[in-house]
């Protein structure tokens, strides 16, 4: 079975074709970073318009790269939610229209399920069950995964997600958009032990996350300290260290709670080098293993949507002709695949 995947949940247009026997046949991605840089963040209307301009050329490119004709496709998968409603509707309209005109079945995919299953694109894919840490600009959550669609959300963001906290703190420090990777680059020049920032909600039971207070603490530190390059790097180091430690502490708790020995980490923040090192060390001590998608599949991409959609299409799940986008969509409301 071969499925075309379409990802348009935010500011990246991702198209891919996945084959259940041959694996990933092609994938292409267009990032809108330059478009939104002048505004310091994503402008939803501009994002939607750019998806409209780029999506069909990218579909043609994905088919060409895979040396495929339309008739060789068996289905279409598109991101249905969560995300920016305008951006979601672009992908949903195009995906639904292509499926209708090509007489192919179509399925709307949950964006976070795509991230959760992204490590399955690798040769060293994890077996079920496992614990998933999903960390991105819009979400931070811990999920017990027994199978596809068999999800229990153990903890999630109560306010700012980890990636959102990175971006907002980077903006406070005057770093250009996208701020998260730039803050991490600055933190690499910082010195350990200069500052000690709080590890939010680690002094109480539970697995939920809250990073808005850490962002405020960092903002107050920036305002009260000298504005030289080394001080800024030291503050960035302490902030990143606090985020990574908090995520690691919560993961350790969740592993003990579930008894799992496999940890999947996905979403844009999963590409953070310090987080990867910290979780690798933790899992070594826990006699477990951590799994990541490759760097290009940590952020939003069409490959993860094609893979997730293929699993559901193979199970006989098909959406009707209605074009729908769900900007809010609980992950644990998805139907299981037996």
């Amino acid at each position: 079975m071969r499925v075309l995947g379409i990802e348009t949940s935010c500011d990246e247009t991702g198209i891919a074709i996945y084959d259940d026997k041959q694996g990933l046949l092609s994938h292409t991605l267009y990032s809108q970073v330059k478009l939104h840089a002048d505004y310091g963040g994503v402008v939803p209307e501009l994002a939607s318009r750019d998806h409209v301009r780029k999506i069909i050329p990218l579909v043609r490119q994905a088919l060409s790269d895979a040396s495929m004709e339309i008739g060789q496709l068996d289905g279409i998968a598109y991101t249905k939610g969560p995300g920016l409603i305008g951006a979601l509707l672009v992908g949903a309209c195009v995906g639904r229209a292509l499926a209708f005109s090509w007489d192919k079945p179509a399925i709307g995919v949950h964006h976070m399920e795509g991230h959760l299953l992204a490590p399955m694109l690798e040769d060293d894919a994890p077996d079920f069950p496992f614990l998933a840490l999903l960390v991105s600009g819009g979400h931070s959550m811990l999920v017990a995964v027994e199978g596809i669609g068999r999800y229990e959300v153990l903890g999630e963001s109560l306010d700012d997600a980890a990636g959102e906290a990175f971006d907002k703190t980077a903006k406070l420090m005057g770093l250009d958009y996208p701020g998260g990777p730039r803050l991490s680059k600055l933190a690499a020049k910082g010195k350990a032990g200069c500052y000690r920032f709080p590890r939010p909600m680690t002094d109480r039971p539970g697995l939920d996350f809250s990073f808005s207070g850490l962002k405020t603490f960092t903002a107050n530190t920036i305002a009260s300290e000298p504005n030289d390059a080394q001080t800024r790097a030291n503050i960035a180091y302490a902030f990143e260290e606090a985020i990574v430690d908090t995520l690691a502490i919560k993961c350790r708790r969740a592993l003990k709670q579930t008894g799992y020995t496999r940890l999947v980490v996905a979403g844009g923040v999963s590409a953070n080098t310090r987080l990867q090192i910290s979780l690798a060390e933790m899992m070594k001590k826990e006699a477990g293993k951590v799994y990541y998608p490759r760097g290009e599949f940590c952020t939003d991409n069409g490959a993860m949507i094609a893979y997730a959609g293929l699993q559901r299409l193979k199970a006989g799940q098909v959406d009707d002709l209605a074009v729908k986008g769900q900007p809010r969509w609980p992950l644990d409301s998805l139907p299981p695949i037996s």
Side-chain angles (χ1 to χ4, degrees):
M1 187 175 197
R2 292 175 174 179
V3 172
L4 175 74
I6 301 172
E7 157 59 20
T8 62
S9 65
C10 190
D11 61 342
E12 289 170 315
T13 312
I15 309 293
I17 298 173
Y18 190 87
D19 184 293
D20 61 348
K21 294 183 174 60
Q22 300 179 56
L24 189 62
L25 301 181
S26 68
H27 69 96
T28 182
L29 181 74
Y30 177 80
S31 175
Q32 301 177 3
V33 166
K34 291 182 180 178
L35 176 66
H36 301 288
D38 290 342
Y39 304 95
V42 177
V43 181
E45 179 65 20
L46 295 180
S48 301
R49 292 180 182 183
D50 210 46
H51 285 308
V52 171
R53 286 190 289 266
K54 299 297 191 302
I55 191 167
I56 294 301
L58 290 176
V59 169
R60 292 195 182 106
Q61 182 182 333
L63 286 166
S64 175
D65 290 347
S67 300
M68 284 181 58
E69 300 292 335
I70 292 168
Q72 295 175 281
L73 287 172
D74 299 299
I76 311 290
Y78 57 88
T79 302
K80 184 176 176 181
L84 302 175
I85 185 59
L88 290 170
L89 286 175
V90 173
C93 285
V94 171
R96 185 63 266 177
L98 292 177
F100 180 77
S101 63
W102 295 343
D103 193 26
K104 307 293 182 183
I107 186 77
V109 173
H110 193 293
H111 179 74
M112 297 312 293
E113 180 173 59
H115 276 304
L116 187 152
L117 296 176
M120 301 299 186
L121 296 166
E122 307 303 327
D123 293 334
D124 184 23
D127 294 324
F128 298 111
F130 56 76
L131 175 72
L133 171 65
L134 304 179
V135 276
S136 66
H139 300 84
S140 296
M141 60 173 68
L142 283 163
V143 185
V145 181
E146 294 187 4
I148 297 177
R150 299 168 64 193
Y151 309 133
E152 180 185 359
V153 177
L154 305 175
E156 56 190 330
S157 306
L158 301 179
D159 41 56
D160 290 355
E164 185 179 5
F166 264 106
D167 288 339
K168 288 182 176 179
T169 301
K171 194 170 184 178
L172 289 172
M173 302 186 76
L175 299 175
D176 293 336
Y177 174 84
R182 297 180 189 276
L183 189 148
S184 293
K185 187 175 181 179
L186 178 62
K189 301 176 183 178
K191 298 178 181 178
C194 296
Y195 298 96
R196 171 74 181 182
F197 285 6
R199 276 58 173 163
M201 297 183 69
T202 58
D203 58 348
R204 67 191 77 174
L207 296 170
D208 287 331
F209 301 97
S210 172
F211 293 112
S212 62
L214 175 61
K215 178 192 65 183
T216 302
F217 186 95
T218 308
N220 292 336
T221 303
I222 293 170
S224 63
E225 294 295 303
N227 191 30
D228 61 275
Q230 188 58 56
T231 298
R232 284 159 48 83
N234 294 341
I235 292 173
Y237 183 101
F239 171 82
E240 184 180 59
E241 182 181 49
I243 292 274
V244 168
D245 283 356
T246 300
L247 294 174
I249 290 168
K250 296 286 186 172
C251 283
R252 188 180 296 110
R253 286 183 186 176
L255 288 166
K256 290 182 179 179
Q257 179 176 315
T258 60
Y260 295 164
T261 58
R262 289 179 287 270
L263 173 65
V264 161
V265 188
V269 181
S270 68
N272 182 279
T273 301
R274 184 180 292 184
L275 178 63
Q276 292 188 1
I277 293 172
S278 176
L279 293 179
E281 292 175 349
M282 182 195 76
M283 292 305 291
K284 187 176 180 180
K285 292 177 181 177
E286 299 292 328
K289 187 173 181 179
V290 61
Y291 298 83
Y292 297 91
R294 73 194 79 164
E296 60 192 319
F297 297 147
C298 287
T299 53
D300 296 348
N301 64 87
M304 67 183 191
I305 302 303
Y307 179 87
L310 183 144
Q311 306 309 312
R312 293 195 171 276
L313 287 170
K314 282 182 67 175
Q317 298 179 18
V318 179
D319 280 356
D320 56 30
L321 289 175
V323 175
K324 300 175 183 177
Q326 290 186 232
R328 295 185 181 276
W329 190 4
L331 180 63
D332 51 9
S333 69
L334 297 177
I337 292 178
S338 48

